[in-house]
């Protein structure tokens, strides 16, 4: 699951630091836009919805995994989470723990990972991408893309 999510997230994703830096520049008056009016949706989204790291994961999801209250993060906590998400080892740990949480919320929580069905893996990928909106068309497409690329992801880690 982790390899498949990593494969899915790396393809075509902006680095979180690019988004954060652009947002910071607009906030500081260095760019002609305010953060709310940045020209690209991802840049204009709230900072805690910015994804960081090799397995792109949002700051707010990282906060949940690391035991912080995502609704009340201090700047110091946010900086700590962003740094953790940008470290490959910590990023993999956080993404793995997040997947574990999502699996526990599913109807197949007790299924051993190696015995999950194709549909269950697709659902878990969609949950990763869209929690709590994992059933919408965009997140379902993410789950199908995960499934299509799973063999390539498995081959990449051999």
């Amino acid at each position: 699951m982790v390899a498949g999510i990593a494969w899915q997230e790396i393809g075509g994703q902006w680095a979180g630091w690019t988004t954060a830096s652009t947002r910071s520049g607009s906030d500081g008056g260095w760019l002609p836009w305010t953060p709310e009016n940045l020209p690209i949706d991802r840049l204009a989204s709230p900072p805690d919805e910015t994804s960081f790291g090799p397995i792109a994961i949002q700051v707010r999801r990282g906060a949940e995994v690391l035991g912080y209250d995502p609704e009340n993060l201090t700047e110091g906590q946010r900086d700590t989470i962003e740094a953790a998400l940008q470290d490959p080892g910590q990023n993999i740990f956080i993404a793995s723990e997040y997947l574990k949480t999502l699996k526990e919320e599913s109807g197949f929580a007790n299924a051993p990972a190696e015995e999950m069905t194709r549909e269950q893996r697709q659902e878990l990928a969609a949950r990763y991408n869209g929690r709590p909106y994992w059933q919408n068309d965009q997140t379902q497409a993410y789950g199908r893309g995960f499934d299509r690329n799973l063999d390539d992801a498995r081959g990449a880690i051999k």
Side-chain angles (χ1 to χ4, degrees):
M1 283 301 304
V2 174
I5 294 294
W7 189 274
Q8 195 69 0
E9 289 295 333
I10 290 169
Q13 293 295 317
W14 287 23
W17 63 267
T18 304
T19 304
S21 297
T22 303
R23 186 181 291 116
S24 177
S26 70
D27 200 27
W30 293 94
L31 295 173
W33 308 284
T34 63
E36 302 78 30
N37 296 313
L38 284 166
I40 301 171
D41 288 344
R42 176 170 283 200
L43 296 175
S45 65
D48 293 343
E49 292 180 15
T50 299
S51 295
F52 285 89
I55 306 176
I57 189 164
Q58 293 178 343
V59 171
R60 65 183 173 165
R61 300 303 179 210
E64 292 169 357
V65 168
L66 297 173
Y68 295 103
D69 177 0
E71 300 300 320
N72 296 298
L73 291 176
T74 66
E75 285 305 313
Q77 290 170 333
R78 188 172 287 106
D79 291 345
T80 297
I81 295 163
E82 288 178 10
L85 292 174
Q86 292 178 74
D87 174 85
Q90 292 183 64
N91 181 269
I92 290 168
F93 169 80
I94 292 167
S96 298
E97 288 296 309
Y98 183 54
L99 281 165
K100 178 182 167 188
T101 298
L102 294 172
K103 186 173 180 277
E104 289 169 354
E105 295 173 355
S106 74
F108 49 91
N110 295 325
E114 60 277 358
E115 295 178 18
M116 287 172 51
T117 67
R118 178 182 187 179
E119 291 77 19
Q120 290 168 334
R121 288 191 304 268
Q122 280 183 252
E123 179 181 324
L124 189 54
R127 286 175 180 269
Y128 183 92
N129 182 251
R131 177 190 186 200
Y133 308 104
W134 66 273
Q135 293 178 311
N136 73 28
D137 291 340
Q138 181 179 357
T139 56
Q140 290 298 304
Y142 181 97
R144 289 187 300 275
F146 165 89
D147 185 60
R148 278 191 308 275
N149 294 312
L150 192 54
D151 287 338
D152 290 333
R154 286 180 176 138
I157 60 173
K158 289 184 179 182

